[in-house]
Amino acid sequence: MRVLIVEDEILIGEAIAQVLKKNNYSVDLAIDGSYGLDCGLTNIYDIIILDIMLPELDGIQVLQELRQHGIQTPVILLTAKGDIEDKIRGLDSGADDYLAKPFHTNELLARLRALTRRKAELIPDGILSFEDVELDTNQLRLRCQDHHTKLTLKESQLLELFIHRKNIVTSKNIIIEKLWGYNSDADDSHVEVQISFLRKKLKQLPSVVMIDTIRGAGYILKKKDG
């Protein structure tokens, strides 16, 4: 589970990060709204913890931009303000939860677990679809019409990433971070091999879906031209 923390008070951000890492979360920390938005737009995070009071862009602006770009990652808003108006404004802007400072770390962990369960409920039976294909993330199976093929775990994770990022180019760095982890020794060749394997699996099916290479940028899942 990968979490992005956007918090300009470095000591607070690092303290939250340490707690999450001890509980087996992978954590990235951004200390201003602009960089936090850039990170969030990569769509590689499972949950975002977002402070409202931030330099450059405030948390509400970051949240609104993420939602306008189709990023549906669950967001917990953090703020020192406890009044109802801030809470309403944040929830109306697309936040999934709200936590006022100071808070107990056990409460934050409980809210993260709740959001994780809620996110899982949005994918009934682990089924994801794009155009004419369905991916069963539990059975590692790809289906098109009456045809199906078995996927490896990495192939399934790669296709799931592409489906979540539909219409968004996905770089090799993002694929490495999502599939192998930030501190992994995996490199571009690992990505290219998995892309090749997944393309072969898609070609086994009578599907209109393809993985297009955007030179110098990455890959995108799309419908075949024509």
Side-chain angles (χ1 to χ4, degrees):
M1 185 68 65
R2 186 159 191 180
V3 178
L4 171 65
I5 301 171
V6 189
E7 168 62 74
D8 65 315
E9 296 185 54
I10 297 176
L11 292 179
I12 293 177
E14 290 180 344
I16 296 172
Q18 287 301 317
V19 170
L20 298 188
K21 288 175 182 177
K22 287 181 180 178
N23 285 270
N24 300 316
Y25 290 92
S26 176
V27 182
D28 291 331
L29 177 61
I31 60 173
D32 64 65
S34 180
Y35 182 55
L37 176 60
D38 288 343
C39 292
L41 288 173
T42 65
N43 205 21
I44 64 172
Y45 297 98
D46 299 289
I47 294 178
I48 298 174
I49 300 173
L50 178 62
D51 191 26
I52 288 183
M53 302 299 291
L54 294 168
E56 299 192 22
L57 294 174
D58 68 36
I60 299 297
Q61 291 173 305
V62 171
L63 177 57
Q64 291 171 340
E65 284 287 328
L66 290 173
R67 296 305 188 231
Q68 287 171 10
H69 282 81
I71 305 298
Q72 297 303 315
T73 306
V75 172
I76 299 178
L77 281 179
L78 299 182
T79 180
K81 299 178 180 179
D83 61 56
I84 191 66
E85 291 301 321
D86 273 338
K87 183 175 183 178
I88 292 172
R89 184 168 167 244
L91 295 174
D92 283 346
S93 296
D96 297 88
D97 205 347
Y98 182 100
L99 197 55
K101 301 175 184 177
F103 55 85
H104 197 286
T105 54
N106 284 341
E107 182 179 4
L108 175 60
L109 291 170
R111 289 174 185 256
L112 288 173
R113 290 192 295 270
L115 282 182
T116 301
R117 290 194 298 270
R118 195 181 308 167
K119 183 179 179 182
E121 291 168 359
L122 296 177
I123 309 176
D125 301 320
I127 303 296
L128 294 170
S129 62
F130 179 80
E131 294 291 346
D132 60 356
V133 297
E134 282 189 354
L135 170 65
D136 186 332
T137 60
N138 293 328
Q139 299 296 321
L140 304 182
R141 190 183 302 273
L142 181 62
R143 186 174 71 85
C144 177
Q145 300 173 29
D146 294 329
H147 302 262
H148 61 82
T149 185
K150 196 74 173 172
L151 301 180
T152 65
L153 177 59
K154 279 289 185 285
E155 291 166 353
S156 177
Q157 290 172 336
L158 179 57
L159 184 56
E160 180 178 355
L161 177 61
F162 283 144
I163 291 174
H164 282 308
R165 291 175 58 83
K166 57 186 176 184
N167 304 319
I168 302 174
V169 176
T170 303
S171 70
K172 289 180 179 178
N173 284 341
I174 289 174
I175 294 172
I176 289 171
E177 290 180 14
K178 194 64 176 177
L179 270 63
W180 286 278
Y182 185 75
N183 295 317
S184 169
D185 293 329
D187 56 26
D188 288 359
S189 64
H190 289 74
V191 175
E192 291 162 4
V193 167
Q194 293 302 322
I195 291 289
S196 176
F197 287 163
L198 184 54
R199 279 175 169 158
K200 289 178 182 177
K201 296 291 178 70
L202 284 168
K203 287 180 179 178
Q204 293 175 13
L205 305 174
S207 173
V208 299
V209 175
M210 64 173 288
I211 301 169
D212 195 14
T213 299
I214 309 300
R215 189 171 299 277
Y219 306 94
I220 190 168
L221 196 67
K222 60 179 283 189
K223 183 178 180 179
K224 295 176 183 176
D225 297 330

